[in-house]
Amino acid sequence: MTISLNETHDPARRSFVDSANAPGCEFPIQNLPFGVFRPAAGEPPRVGVAIGDQILDVAAAAPSFNGPAAAAAKTCAAPALNRLMALGPEAASALRLALSRALSVEHGDESLRRHLVPMAQAEIVLPVAIGDFTDFYASVFHATNVGRMLRPESPLMPNYKYVPVAYHGRASSVRVSGTPIKRPQGQRKRAEDAAPSYGPSRNLDFELELGLYIGAPSELGDTIPVGTAAEHIFGFCLLNDWSARDVQGWEYQPLGPFLGKNFATTVSPWVVMREALAPFRVPAFARPQGDPAPLPYLDDAADQAQGGLAVTLEAYLASEKMRRAGIAPLRLTQTSFANVYWTVAQMVAHHASNGCNLLTGDLIGSGTVSGPEKTSLGSLLELTARGREPIALPGGQQRAFIEDGDEIIFRGFAEKPGYPRIGFGECRAVILPAG
Ligand code: MN
């Protein structure tokens, strides 16, 4: 199913939920991201859709819909998005269309007001039962920056421009935005240390990433053509691949990330449908002259023409002292997902290219989305040159890596003239002391 622009993208459509029409609103009627929420403490979680500062209980609205949209809405009486995601892109699209009409001024069903819950009073939980988590390494700028620290003579490994490389992460430690994260402990060894010691990580970092969830699954042994790979993507979120750089640096050879990464991953609560981002598709990353063309199984004309996504990603830091003093979080970086070397379709196609089955609810991270400029780097490792160039915080502190009490906040949005801004909401967490 090729996504084309339709009435759900109409910039002129407005909602009878007034807050959704405010300029710059994260969740206008053109967005309609899905999440899971409890309307009040103690009530069972259910699927909702964000509209302005409200959440619509989707299953409660099902009687207002017909056909495939009604069937899709009924799967939303559940504590996770998986049943809806498993139905595939046609069903999700039918539900999106029905929700867009029902919440609009022109065709709206104002009786749905009784199924709206103010976002501020709801408890928003992890939206998906995540079976597996894989994290890619799709920014050539990030790969080159990190490679330069480790191998100044040959920063980029020779496979990089052929293989969308990734590692298998840990699904059990994925947490929703707002959940505090305990500083990990592990083996770490400084250059001046004769031997490693075990203790709290001294070099805790974030990685600013886009995440995607698999909707329609694939069978073990089957491959996924790159031309249809995007159809397996239900939607996108913000993802923080927390990284203990000292633990990672000591343990990663020869098998790659393990305990330096798997202690926690934070995701934003709202899943922005692939269809909502259709107006913000851009050409795939322009490979510099001399780079190899993708191998045929990763090469598709339509994907090259519009497989990129112009999503802006930002990371902010607020120390405990800043928060107590009422100082706004400091923006550390602003980057664009259009900077990544591989498209999301190429990541999905490559993941299944050996017959590995992708299942509904699998989470795939893009890898750190660093851009080419100093102001568009997606980790402190890069922003502070491995800690050698600390960042000055308002209020007099400075940071090489993340300290206890720091809050890291990601924001993301897609915008272009003539279209309402599609927001991702926030992905935030405070770091607690180890132990
Ligand atoms: Mn990562």
Side-chain angles (χ1 to χ4, degrees):
M1 175 196 157
T2 308
I3 287 181
S4 45
L5 296 190
N6 54 49
E7 66 178 81
T8 69
H9 304 102
D10 180 358
R13 180 161 285 182
R14 293 169 72 79
S15 175
F16 64 76
V17 179
D18 288 335
S19 57
N21 306 319
C25 170
E26 294 253 87
F27 308 120
I29 194 166
Q30 292 80 5
N31 190 347
L32 301 177
F34 289 95
V36 173
F37 73 107
R38 293 176 197 273
E43 293 200 38
R46 77 247 356 230
V47 172
V49 72
I51 178 77
D53 61 5
Q54 305 287 310
I55 305 171
L56 178 71
D57 183 333
V58 179
S64 301
F65 304 149
N66 300 305
K74 283 179 191 154
T75 68
C76 293
L81 289 173
N82 296 55
R83 284 176 61 205
L84 172 63
M85 295 160 77
L87 296 178
E90 285 86 358
S93 186
L95 180 55
R96 172 178 161 84
L97 177 61
L99 287 165
S100 174
R101 286 181 179 163
L103 290 166
S104 72
V105 168
E106 59 269 45
H107 320 283
D109 178 356
E110 296 224 21
S111 71
L112 292 183
R113 278 191 192 279
R114 67 184 189 278
H115 303 306
L116 291 170
V117 176
M119 207 176 274
Q121 88 177 39
E123 182 195 348
I124 304 175
V125 303
L126 192 68
V128 175
I130 300 167
D132 268 308
F133 167 42
T134 302
D135 196 35
F136 278 84
Y137 199 52
S139 160
V140 70
F141 303 106
H142 175 69
T144 304
N145 291 337
V146 173
R148 192 173 289 128
M149 296 174 193
L150 304 172
R151 299 173 303 275
E153 64 295 343
S154 62
L156 209 57
M157 297 295 271
N159 63 353
Y160 188 85
K161 292 177 174 177
Y162 291 93
V163 183
V165 289
Y167 69 93
H168 280 127
R170 184 84 187 160
S172 67
S173 54
V174 179
R175 291 292 179 273
V176 74
S177 176
T179 311
I181 301 296
K182 196 190 276 190
R183 176 177 299 273
Q185 306 191 71
Q187 281 196 30
R188 65 271 197 275
K189 178 185 170 303
R190 292 168 295 204
E192 64 271 27
D193 295 338
S197 59
Y198 173 83
S201 170
R202 303 179 181 107
N203 299 154
L204 184 60
D205 199 357
F206 63 82
E207 291 193 338
L208 176 57
E209 306 194 11
L210 199 65
L212 66 88
Y213 290 103
I214 296 295
S218 67
E219 294 288 332
L220 183 64
D222 285 357
T223 59
I224 298 176
V226 64
T228 55
E231 295 173 24
H232 292 268
I233 300 170
F234 177 81
F236 297 90
C237 65
L238 307 174
L239 186 150
N240 187 343
D241 179 27
W242 300 101
S243 299
R245 299 299 182 195
D246 43 359
V247 177
Q248 182 187 2
W250 173 240
E251 74 171 3
Y252 83 108
Q253 288 179 320
L255 287 181
F258 180 38
L259 303 182
K261 295 276 194 177
N262 70 4
F263 55 92
T265 305
T266 303
V267 290
S268 57
W270 295 107
V271 182
V272 176
M273 285 179 73
R274 185 170 61 95
E275 187 171 2
L277 294 175
F280 308 97
R281 289 177 296 193
V282 293
F285 183 79
R287 293 183 168 221
Q289 198 84 39
D291 279 14
L295 292 183
Y297 80 99
L298 294 173
D299 199 359
D300 175 79
D303 185 50
Q304 288 298 303
Q306 53 173 21
L309 286 172
V311 174
T312 300
L313 301 171
E314 299 176 331
Y316 296 77
L317 187 151
S319 70
E320 201 169 359
K321 185 180 166 194
M322 287 167 67
R323 295 198 303 279
R324 276 204 309 264
I327 299 172
L330 174 70
R331 190 173 79 191
L332 302 175
T333 191
Q334 184 186 60
T335 184
S336 171
F337 194 69
N339 284 321
V340 299
Y341 196 81
W342 299 101
T343 67
V344 290
Q346 287 173 319
M347 294 181 214
V348 170
H350 182 69
H351 202 317
S353 65
N354 64 346
C356 172
N357 49 338
L358 300 182
L359 298 183
T360 302
D362 282 357
L363 173 63
I364 293 179
S366 62
T368 308
V369 184
S370 291
E373 302 93 8
K374 272 199 103 167
T375 53
S376 61
L377 302 172
S379 66
L380 284 171
L381 180 74
E382 295 163 272
L383 286 162
T384 69
R386 263 178 142 168
R388 284 196 308 274
E389 298 167 17
I391 294 167
L393 303 181
Q397 298 173 290
Q398 58 173 30
R399 284 295 179 274
F401 289 98
I402 300 170
E403 304 286 338
D404 292 346
D406 286 355
E407 184 166 33
I408 300 295
I409 304 153
F410 292 174
R411 294 177 186 146
F413 53 88
E415 62 184 5
K416 75 175 188 184
Y419 284 88
R421 168 180 162 126
I422 301 296
F424 279 70
E426 288 187 334
C427 176
R428 61 162 73 213
V430 172
I431 296 298
L432 303 178

